[in-house]
Amino acid sequence: MRRDKIAVLVPEMEGKIRILLFWLVVMSAPAFSQQAPKIVSSADTASIRIGEQIRWTVAVEVDSAAQVIFPEGQTFSPLETVEAFMTDTTRKNDRLLLQKTYALTQFDSGGYILPTQRIEIDGKGFFTDSILVMVATVPVDTVNQKMYDIKPMMEVQASRWGWLKWVALGLLAVLLAGGAYYWFFLRKKPLSEEEAEALLPPYERAMKELKRLEQSRYLIQDEFKQYYTELTSIVRGYLEEEVHISALESTTGQLLEKIELLRDAGKLDLEDNTLRQFQNILETADLVKFAKSKPELRKAEEDRNKVEEIVQKTKEAIPEPTEEELLQQEEYRMAVAEQQRKRKIRFALGAAAGLLVVALVSAIGYFGFQTVKDYLIGNPSKNLLEGEWVSSSYGYPPVILETPEVLYRKEIELPPEAMGTIQDLDAFAYDDHRANLSIAAVSTVFTKTDEAPDYEGAVDQILAGFERNGARNIITKQEEFTTVSGIPGTKVFGRGNFKIPDSDEFLKGKYAILLFGGNGFMQQVVISWEEDDLYAEEIVDRILNTIEVKTVI
């Protein structure tokens, strides 16, 4: 009976065990699907010469959701980081392959250990392998070359475009100013008929308007209202200008009363008959304008003739102005003339300013803002580039180059430890703080004629000098350099943050060190300039294309 129960329980337990194992496999499947990160590092070479670069690459294979942080900055010491390239990303199913490449260099010979680098993946650190890098010195080729005499000084014809440009601009400015002054002040503008008539004296203008009224077609077309309105306006306007009474705004009675007051005061000598004729004409005009009266054609013509006589007699009746009145009139005319003159000057200045704005905007649109700014305000580097250059030989062995300005001799005091190895040292330099440009040429003769020049030590001294003057973050590269005549040399160049003299500010700059020499001597050309100065770049290129040296003593 007990054996039967055991036989029944065994199959049941086996089924439960299978189910338990199945769930264990299912639950553990995600854990097995997540693979550990793979990190592989390699270098393209393990042996370089001084100044050459080694490319070190690290490859990381991780899940697509992983966060990877590569090393940054100068973490490869004693090797120097020249450049860190962009990360290359490749996807493989649900995995990512990340590759990061660094350019490294070293300027001292010897064996150096590239230290392990920490790669951070999802907050955890993983380390690469270390590599031994050998840095060898650069062999110097000391092939004997022919000696050449120093070239004599050559007379170069000076460029005349510099002062001709300013003369042309000055003449253009004078012509524009003279043309504007003539156009606005001296030129006699043709006047229209209305403007010419407005400038006539009141009496002549009134007589001319009466003649024009006589030739009008008002009476032929029975337009008596317009006829008398214009007739009275002519005589009222004349009285207001010539006699200086408010005639246009006065009624007939008020106007006659003002004329009588002037006559009683002795300022207007008119006869009674003339006043009565004027009164009759004004009353007829009022009847025509307000009562729609229609006089005879003959009477209308006679009224115009009488108004002409009244105007003439009024002119004769006005007494001669006193000296005080003439002076007041002269002051008034002068004030009016001054206002007109100021108005013309303001208009001329506004037109000139508008012309300058249009010319400036057009020049900026065509040449560019920086070019126009440098042309108008001036640029020290541009002035050096476009000025007269000097070609000369400096030191012994000679360094021949063409520069914007002549290099001046610099007295350099040698340290005691160098006096035993250096026989002679000639240094020449030119510094322009406005253009942030520095040029130097140095020739050194050693006491041992069979001693090869130490380029590495010379570069270290120059870079140390940069640092003593406050330079920071100096990056250095090296390549071969050949003069136009085929003489080989070494070029060390790069960029950094250079301190502005007598200031706490820094600017981004570049430098180039040219090294030549042979047994017993060495020649150096050192140039530094502002990084974003396009004119300085052209200056440096021109200098480098004119360098010539002697390779033997």
Side-chain angles (χ1 to χ4, degrees), residues 209-210 213 224-240 247-248 250 252 255 278-286 288-290 303-304 307 311:
E209 290 175 353
L210 289 173
L213 180 61
F224 288 92
K225 182 177 180 179
Q226 289 81 351
Y227 179 82
Y228 273 95
T229 298
E230 189 169 338
L231 179 62
T232 54
S233 297
I234 293 172
V235 67
R236 284 173 179 268
Y238 169 74
L239 292 175
E240 186 158 322
L248 293 175
S250 302
T252 299
L255 179 57
F278 189 36
Q279 181 178 359
N280 291 334
I281 294 172
L282 293 177
E283 291 175 350
T284 301
D286 290 341
V288 173
K289 289 187 290 183
F290 303 110
D303 287 343
R304 194 210 64 82
V307 167
V311 170

Side-chain angles (χ1 to χ4, degrees), residues 30 40 73 77 84 88 131 196 210 220 245 250-251 263 268 298 306 388 392 435 440 443 514 524:
V40 178
S77 181
D88 185 12
I131 301 175
L210 289 173
I220 299 175
I245 57 176
S250 302
T251 62
R263 188 181 66 170
L268 190 62
R298 181 177 174 182
K306 290 179 181 180
E388 296 183 8
S392 185
S443 293
L514 285 303
Q524 307 168 47

Side-chain angles (χ1 to χ4, degrees), residues 321-386:
T322 62
E323 184 176 351
E324 183 178 355
E325 291 175 344
L326 290 174
L327 183 60
Q328 292 177 353
Q329 294 177 3
E330 182 66 21
E331 291 178 354
Y332 175 76
R333 284 195 295 270
M334 290 178 64
V336 172
E338 181 66 18
Q339 290 180 355
Q340 293 177 350
R341 188 182 69 85
K342 290 181 178 180
R343 191 181 299 112
K344 290 181 179 179
I345 291 177
R346 287 195 296 268
F347 181 79
L349 293 177
L355 182 62
L356 288 177
V357 170
V358 172
L360 184 62
V361 172
S362 301
I364 291 175
Y366 185 79
F367 297 104
F369 175 77
Q370 189 64 37
T371 303
V372 175
K373 175 187 174 184
D374 294 340
Y375 187 81
L376 295 178
I377 301 178
N379 185 297
S381 301
K382 181 175 183 293
N383 296 336
L384 289 176
L385 178 63
E386 297 178 352

Side-chain angles (χ1 to χ4, degrees), residues 167-183:
V167 170
L169 290 176
L171 291 176
L172 180 61
V174 170
L175 289 176
L176 290 176
Y181 182 79
Y182 169 78
W183 183 265

Side-chain angles (χ1 to χ4, degrees), residues 132-143:
L132 175 63
V133 179
M134 301 301 297
V135 181
T137 58
V138 180
V140 180
D141 186 8
T142 57
V143 179

Side-chain angles (χ1 to χ4, degrees), residues 198-237:
L199 295 177
L200 293 175
Y203 172 76
E204 296 181 8
R205 193 181 332 122
M207 298 301 290
K208 191 170 184 179
E209 290 175 353
L210 289 173
K211 291 295 183 183
R212 188 165 53 246
L213 180 61
E214 181 182 10
Q215 298 172 359
S216 67
R217 302 180 62 84
Y218 290 142
L219 299 180
I220 299 175
Q221 298 175 355
D222 290 340
E223 296 177 354
F224 288 92
K225 182 177 180 179
Q226 289 81 351
Y227 179 82
Y228 273 95
T229 298
E230 189 169 338
L231 179 62
T232 54
S233 297
I234 293 172
V235 67
R236 284 173 179 268

